[in-house]
Amino acid sequence: MPQDDEELKKKLWLRIARHVVEKQRDIKRAMEFLQESDLLKIEDILPFFPDFVTIDHFKDAICTSLQEYNKHIESLQEDMNEATESAKSIRTEIHNFRNKFAFIQSQDKCCVCHFALLTRSFYVFPCMHKFHTDCLINELLPHLSISKRNQVEDLQRTLTNEATSGRINQATKIELEDMVASECVYCGEMMIRSIDQPFVDVSDYQTEMNGWL
């Protein structure tokens, strides 16, 4: 809608201000536009002023503009300070996570298959949920997009081929870990986003119903 187009409004105000300054030579009226419209700034209409205009004509407007710029600079400074503090906090958290460890007991079990955790490769998350690597991936895949699912499966095949040849590329391993172990599949954001999904997939609904009969 035209009434919601601020850029169009500003252009119209500028045309009016230019007409008042250049045709009517009414500097005082032009300065009043700055109070009537919050879209115009002193620097927007300064190019319209003739050379003979003295600073007394727009001294108040310049002071007001400088005060606004000063407030804006102070606001930016506060934002920068907050960003700096946030960065420090993140660095501290990263440092703490690097030094974090967990004790694994021989009786600990995978949260998916409930078999002994130490029987094969596994992941332990800060929340202390524990998964075999293959169990974690199988649990994660249904929550991924098709493209990411294909990417995980491609990385798995690549790692299998590399293990067979005896030359495992650490970059491939790290890439797979970044995709499947960035957060706990049981209590991370992914689980929160899937909270509205049905317990039984639509395609499996009839099979489940028949199983209960």
Side-chain angles (χ1 to χ4, degrees), residues 12 22 26 37 73 80 89 104 128 146 185 208 212-213:
L12 291 174
E22 295 182 352
D26 191 343
S37 170
I73 291 172
M80 289 174 62
S89 177
I104 304 300
M128 294 310 295
I146 295 176
V185 70
E208 290 292 331
W212 282 89
L213 296 177

Side-chain angles (χ1 to χ4, degrees), residues 24-148:
Q24 299 182 3
R25 304 283 181 175
D26 191 343
I27 305 300
K28 182 179 179 181
R29 177 61 184 137
M31 300 310 300
E32 290 175 356
F33 288 154
L34 299 178
Q35 279 73 44
E36 295 178 15
S37 170
D38 56 357
L39 299 176
L40 290 183
K41 305 292 183 184
I42 181 64
E43 59 268 28
D44 295 325
I45 63 175
L46 273 177
F48 306 149
F49 291 160
D51 295 337
F52 63 80
V53 176
T54 62
I55 196 171
D56 289 338
H57 290 91
F58 46 87
K59 178 177 63 176
D60 293 339
I62 289 179
C63 291
T64 302
S65 181
L66 289 175
Q67 289 173 356
E68 290 178 358
Y69 278 127
N70 188 52
K71 290 179 181 178
H72 183 59
I73 291 172
E74 289 177 354
S75 176
L76 289 176
Q77 186 65 48
E78 290 178 2
D79 291 342
M80 289 174 62
N81 291 337
E82 290 180 4
T84 301
E85 291 301 319
S86 296
K88 288 180 180 178
S89 177
I90 291 172
R91 282 195 293 269
T92 301
E93 288 182 9
I94 292 174
H95 177 75
N96 291 337
F97 268 112
R98 284 176 178 170
N99 295 327
K100 193 167 185 177
F101 59 90
F103 291 103
I104 304 300
Q105 306 294 331
S106 59
Q107 65 269 25
D108 284 342
K109 297 179 180 180
C110 172
C111 292
V112 176
C113 68
H114 304 295
F115 283 103
L117 189 68
L118 298 175
T119 55
R120 55 189 189 270
S121 63
F122 61 88
Y123 287 100
V124 179
F125 291 89
C127 56
M128 294 310 295
H129 281 128
K130 310 172 184 70
F131 305 92
H132 290 129
T133 301
D134 55 324
C135 292
L136 174 63
I137 293 175
N138 291 335
E139 196 77 4
L140 179 71
L141 285 178
H143 299 284
L144 299 178
S145 62
I146 295 176
S147 60
K148 286 190 175 181

